[in-house]
Amino acid sequence: MLHIVNKSPYQTRNLESCLRLAKAGSAILLIEDGVYAATRDNIAAAGVKAALGSVSVYALSPDVEARGVNNLLLDGVKLVDYGGFVDLVAEHANTQSWL
Amino acid sequence: MSFEINGKTYETDEEGYLINLSEWDEEAAKYLAKEEKVDMTDNHWEVINFLREYYNDYQIAPAIRVLTKAIGKKLGPEKGSNKYLYELFPYGPAKQACKIAGLPKPTGCI
Amino acid sequence: MTESTGGIEVEEETAGRVKKFMFVNRKAPYGTIYALEGLEVVLISAAFDQDVSLAFVDDGVYELVKGQATKGIDVKNFSPTYRALEGYDIEKLYVDAESLKARGLTEENLIVPVEVLSNEEMADLMAAQDVVISF
């Protein structure tokens, strides 16, 4: 399953819920303000870091660049462009958007 | 709305401001100046170019007070006055000059 | 005096007195329209010659992160506009230290010079305002 999170981890608890309910082997794609969760040295990083052992975490690069956080990304988070976004959706049997 | 010069089309909003800043060129400026009944001189161009640089740096069209101060700083105190700018652009420097420079209407400009 | 409604009250006895306005920015720049709208209100407020200050709290600190490049999302990058505030005589920019730290950011990551405040300092400053408008 592909999970998509688009809210800042500081504004809602969507990411926490997603991390709690994402099965091992699933993928999480961070988009829009969700990409802030892909940055390091912050209070959201621990949860994402812990999840990296069992799930793949992706961040949408145009959203990362827009927010100026390219240099602050956590190791292990993979960047994808819009084409990569489409590929992820196509590769997974189903998708859940944590709106 | 739009106007056309030499086969190139420029889109404008209902008040005549260019919609795409990147479409602006000197020909468009001359057309917009004519519409505003402004005869462009070097002094006019100086203000237009200043505005475009300002927009490029800050992504906004400056309020008149800010424009006056910034022009005074860059081009000398005799040019950094409302009187000087209103002589060049009688219907409001912020409004008219911004339009000719292809900038959006300044924030807070009524 | 009337009860504070958070609105702008111009009474005869107070009209003309410069008031202390604080705009509190608490949202990240592109996910919602709040940050941009807040900035526009700040620019307009400059025309009224009041004592204006800006506070950046919670995700609002992300508004000031340097190196924003929005071409890929086709949205205007308005972060350079914070650098124009000085020309509008808006020079009091305060950032909440705790919000910066929680996000792994430091002053070095910001596009404009700011004053970083402790909880207590920020609380005192907020309490000292006539009007606080939050975005």
Side-chain angles (χ1 to χ4, degrees):
Chain A
M1 180 169 219
L2 173 67
H3 298 271
I4 301 174
V5 176
N6 77 334
K7 300 290 193 297
S8 157
Y10 308 105
Q11 288 279 320
T12 73
R13 307 188 69 165
N14 295 3
L15 178 71
E16 274 175 70
S17 300
C18 169
L19 291 173
R20 183 162 58 85
L21 297 171
K23 278 170 76 76
S26 60
I28 298 174
L29 171 61
L30 303 168
I31 66 168
E32 300 168 10
D33 286 347
V35 301
Y36 290 122
T39 60
R40 59 176 180 260
D41 302 329
N42 59 54
I43 56 178
V48 177
K49 240 177 171 169
L52 277 168
S54 59
V55 302
S56 309
V57 179
Y58 302 87
L60 192 61
S61 58
D63 285 329
V64 169
E65 284 164 17
R67 288 159 181 78
V69 294
N70 334 30
N71 300 324
L72 305 170
L73 291 183
L74 267 174
D75 285 341
V77 172
K78 286 165 255 182
L79 284 174
V80 291
D81 57 13
Y82 291 118
F85 186 164
V86 174
D87 290 341
L88 281 173
V89 173
E91 283 162 20
H92 291 85
N94 50 9
T95 298
Q96 179 170 11
S97 284
W98 294 81
L99 293 178
Chain B
M1 295 183 21
S2 66
F3 60 89
E4 204 182 301
I5 308 164
N6 302 332
K8 185 175 167 187
T9 306
Y10 303 80
E11 277 186 75
T12 62
D13 67 13
E14 68 277 7
E15 289 180 273
Y17 289 81
L18 279 190
I19 289 180
N20 299 315
L21 182 67
S22 58
E23 281 179 1
W24 183 91
D25 54 22
E26 282 196 17
E27 294 307 311
K30 285 176 192 161
Y31 173 89
L32 291 163
K34 212 170 152 194
E35 290 286 294
E36 290 289 322
K37 302 192 170 55
V38 171
D39 286 324
M40 294 294 282
T41 65
D42 287 350
N43 286 338
H44 289 89
W45 283 112
E46 191 174 52
V47 174
I48 297 302
N49 290 328
F50 181 89
L51 274 172
R52 289 191 60 83
E53 262 178 54
Y54 186 95
Y55 189 89
N56 195 38
D57 287 346
Y58 301 121
Q59 299 298 304
I60 45 165
I64 176 66
R65 186 171 60 90
V66 178
L67 174 67
T68 313
K69 201 169 76 176
I71 283 198
K73 225 175 181 178
K74 174 126 190 241
L75 305 175
E78 69 284 357
K79 292 182 176 176
S81 74
N82 274 342
K83 184 171 174 286
Y84 175 77
L85 292 171
Y86 269 94
E87 274 167 12
L88 293 177
F89 303 99
Y91 289 94
K95 192 168 152 275
Q96 276 190 313
C98 283
K99 187 183 278 187
I100 296 166
L103 269 47
K105 201 168 160 179
T107 300
C109 178
I110 302 154
Chain C
M1 289 293 288
T2 57
E3 288 291 307
S4 171
T5 57
I8 303 164
E9 285 155 15
V10 184
E11 293 176 27
E12 275 179 44
E13 62 190 83
T14 57
R17 180 172 77 85
V18 171
K19 290 193 173 187
K20 291 168 83 74
F21 281 73
M22 174 180 268
F23 294 95
V24 182
N25 301 279
R26 295 188 49 250
K27 302 286 193 299
Y30 304 108
T32 66
I33 196 72
Y34 286 97
L36 177 58
E37 293 287 322
L39 181 56
E40 298 235 325
V41 173
V42 167
L43 290 169
I44 292 165
S45 78
F48 297 98
D49 291 324
Q50 301 294 305
D51 179 355
V52 173
S53 55
L54 270 63
F56 295 86
V57 180
D58 297 332
D59 278 356
V61 300
Y62 284 134
E63 294 175 23
L64 300 180
V65 170
K66 63 180 163 199
Q68 297 176 32
T70 56
K71 205 161 179 240
I73 60 169
D74 203 18
V75 167
K76 185 165 119 172
N77 174 6
F78 56 89
S79 63
T81 306
Y82 294 101
R83 293 196 284 106
L85 291 174
E86 195 190 354
Y88 281 74
D89 297 322
I90 296 173
E91 288 164 326
K92 296 179 197 169
L93 274 61
Y94 303 104
V95 170
D96 175 39
E98 199 163 293
S99 302
L100 265 189
K101 187 158 182 278
R103 287 160 185 77
L105 300 172
T106 67
E107 261 183 277
E108 308 280 289
N109 296 113
L110 307 182
I111 194 171
V112 278
V114 298
E115 201 175 325
V116 178
L117 300 185
S118 68
N119 289 340
E120 198 189 350
E121 290 168 323
M122 185 65 88
D124 286 345
L125 199 62
M126 281 180 178
Q129 302 298 314
D130 292 302
V131 180
V132 177
I133 299 174
S134 187
F135 292 95

